[in-house]
Amino acid sequence: MRRLALGKAFTLMEPGPVVLVTTHDGKRRNVMTISWTMVVDFTPVFAITTGAWNHSFAALRRTRECVIAIPTVDMLDRIVGIGTCSGIDTDKFAKFKLTPVPGKFVMAPLIMECLANIECKVRDIVRKHNIVVLEGVAATVDTARKERRTVHAVGDGTFIVDGRRLDRRKMMAAKLRTGL
Amino acid sequence: MRRLALGKAFTLMEPGPVVLVTTHDGKRRNVMTISWTMVVDFTPVFAITTGAWNHSFAALRRTRECVIAIPTVDMLDRIVGIGTCSGIDTDKFAKFKLTPVPGKFVMAPLIMECLANIECKVRDIVRKHNIVVLEGVAATVDTARKERRTVHAVGDGTFIVDGRRLDRRKMMAAKLRTGL
C-alpha cells in the first residue's frame, strides 16, 4: 500500500463507490457497508449517513474514529455479505476473510484486500440528519492491484460497475486544483 | 417523462452520478453541476455540498427549492461546461441548449434532456459544513430514452461511465425495501 497525498483523497470518494467503514471500540473490530457517502471538502472531509441502526455507530460515536476502505468489483459478494449481517453476533473480518492492517492514526483497522483506505477522525455528528462528518488524516492506495473497478450501489439490489473513463481535463483546467 | 414513485427516487442518487441542480429565483433560472451528493433517507432525502461559491446558492437559500436533474454520458460536455461557467453572467439553459420544463411543486425548472428529474424542497441548510439537505417531492424518469448511462466525476478532470450492472437482489432480499 502506498501513501496517497491527502489532497487527492477526495478523488477516491467523489465517484460514489460503495465503501466499507471499519471501527474498533477498544475491544472489537467491526466493518459495515455504506453507499450513502459524500465529499464535503477537498481537505479532505467526507460525510456518511449512518445511525443507531448500524451496530458500528456506537463505536464510531465513542471513539470518533474510523477507516473508509474502498473495495473493488471482485469483492462484491463480500460487500453485500458485510451489509447483510451484523457485528453484534459476527466477527465480519473473520467471516469474510478480510485482513486487518493497523492504521497510523486510528485504532480502526485498514483492510488489506481493498484498493484504498482512508483513516478518518469524526469531525461532527449532525444527529438531526444522521450525518457523520469525517476528516481524512491519512490515505493509502494499493498501486500493485490489477482490479481497480469500484461498484456503485443502486439501492434495489443491483450494482453498477465502473466502465470507461473519459478525460475532460483540458475543459476543466481552470477549475481543477493544482497537482491532480 | 413518466412519474416515478417517490420511494424509488433514492435509487437515482445512490449510485453517485454527477447531477445538475436547477434553481429559479423568481426572475432568472440557473443550473449548476454538482457531484458532491448523498442519499440521507429513503423518504427520499438527499444532501448536497454547496455554498456561496456557487451563484445558485443564493436562490437555493431564498426560495428553498431546486430540481436535481440526472444527465447521461451523451451530455458530458454540457455537464462540464455548466460546471465551468457562472450564472452571474450566463443563461446556461440558452448556452447549453437545455429545455426547461415547469415543475409541479417548485419554481425551478426540470431539464427535458435529462434522464430523470427530482423536484426538491430545502429541508435544512447545515451552514457549518456547507451541507444542504433536500427533500424530494416529485420525481420523473424519461422511460423512452435510449442512453441511460450516468457519469461519475472523479474530481481530477476525468469521469467514469456506468459499466455493467450486477444483480445481487437474492442475497439482499432481506434488506431490500419492498416494491423495488
Side-chain angles (χ1 to χ4, degrees):
Chain A
M1 285 196 263
R2 209 169 96 183
R3 195 146 295 275
L4 178 76
L6 262 181
K8 292 185 184 179
F10 80 96
T11 63
L12 298 168
M13 296 294 286
E14 183 161 326
V18 57
V19 302
L20 304 174
V21 176
T22 79
T23 51
H24 197 297
D25 66 4
K27 289 182 190 164
R28 294 201 310 160
R29 63 200 179 187
N30 197 10
V31 55
M32 60 180 166
T33 299
I34 294 278
S35 56
W36 293 1
T37 72
M38 172 169 72
V39 177
V40 182
D41 194 12
F42 297 107
T43 42
V45 183
F46 310 108
I48 65 174
T49 299
T50 183
W53 62 87
N54 276 320
H55 183 59
S56 298
F57 183 68
L60 192 60
R61 195 174 51 176
R62 204 167 73 232
T63 64
R64 298 187 75 84
E65 292 180 351
C66 68
V67 168
I68 300 173
I70 318 262
T72 46
V73 61
D74 49 318
M75 297 172 70
L76 181 57
D77 286 336
R78 287 197 270 187
I79 295 166
V80 174
I82 290 162
T84 50
C85 68
S86 172
I88 290 178
D89 51 19
T90 312
D91 176 353
K92 298 200 230 181
F93 275 81
K95 180 169 181 178
F96 296 104
K97 297 187 171 57
L98 301 172
T99 312
V101 177
K104 292 233 159 118
F105 301 101
V106 301
M107 284 273 286
L110 282 62
I111 299 176
M112 198 177 74
E113 288 75 14
C114 283
L115 170 64
N117 284 272
I118 309 170
E119 295 181 46
C120 295
K121 300 276 187 180
V122 172
R123 181 180 272 196
D124 197 10
I125 299 180
V126 185
R127 292 302 292 264
K128 187 177 168 189
H129 301 295
N130 298 307
I131 292 174
V132 179
V133 181
L134 302 170
E135 181 171 356
V137 292
T140 54
V141 176
D142 184 350
T143 49
R145 214 168 188 298
K146 283 194 180 160
E147 181 58 82
R148 305 182 77 81
R149 290 174 301 161
T150 65
V151 284
H152 305 264
V154 177
D156 63 354
T158 67
F159 295 83
I160 295 167
V161 186
D162 283 349
R164 290 180 59 198
R165 188 184 284 242
L166 302 177
D167 189 337
R168 291 297 184 277
R169 278 177 288 193
K170 276 188 193 164
M171 270 183 84
M172 288 185 66
K175 286 281 275 194
L176 291 176
R177 302 179 75 229
T178 52
L180 283 175
Chain B
M1 287 198 264
R2 208 168 95 183
R3 195 146 295 274
L4 178 76
L6 263 181
K8 292 184 182 177
F10 80 97
T11 64
L12 299 168
M13 296 293 286
E14 183 161 325
V18 57
V19 302
L20 304 175
V21 176
T22 79
T23 51
H24 196 297
D25 66 3
K27 288 181 188 164
R28 294 202 309 161
R29 62 199 179 187
N30 197 10
V31 54
M32 60 180 166
T33 299
I34 294 277
S35 57
W36 294 3
T37 72
M38 171 168 73
V39 176
V40 182
D41 193 11
F42 297 105
T43 38
V45 184
F46 310 107
I48 65 174
T49 299
T50 185
W53 63 86
N54 276 322
H55 183 60
S56 298
F57 183 67
L60 193 59
R61 194 175 49 176
R62 205 169 70 234
T63 63
R64 299 186 77 82
E65 292 181 351
C66 67
V67 168
I68 299 174
I70 319 263
T72 46
V73 62
D74 50 318
M75 297 173 71
L76 181 57
D77 287 336
R78 288 198 268 188
I79 295 166
V80 174
I82 290 163
T84 50
C85 68
S86 172
I88 290 178
D89 51 19
T90 311
D91 176 353
K92 298 201 232 180
F93 276 79
K95 180 170 181 177
F96 297 102
K97 298 187 171 57
L98 301 172
T99 313
V101 177
K104 292 232 159 121
F105 300 101
V106 301
M107 284 274 287
L110 282 61
I111 299 176
M112 198 178 74
E113 288 75 14
C114 284
L115 171 64
N117 284 273
I118 309 170
E119 296 181 47
C120 295
K121 300 276 188 180
V122 173
R123 180 179 273 197
D124 196 10
I125 300 181
V126 186
R127 292 302 291 264
K128 186 177 169 190
H129 302 294
N130 298 307
I131 292 173
V132 178
V133 180
L134 301 171
E135 181 172 355
V137 292
T140 54
V141 176
D142 184 351
T143 49
R145 218 169 184 295
K146 282 193 180 162
E147 181 59 82
R148 304 181 78 83
R149 293 174 301 161
T150 66
V151 284
H152 305 265
V154 177
D156 63 354
T158 67
F159 295 82
I160 295 166
V161 186
D162 283 350
R164 289 179 59 198
R165 188 183 284 240
L166 302 176
D167 189 337
R168 291 296 183 277
R169 278 177 286 192
K170 275 187 195 166
M171 271 183 82
M172 288 183 67
K175 286 281 275 195
L176 291 177
R177 301 179 75 231
T178 52
L180 283 174

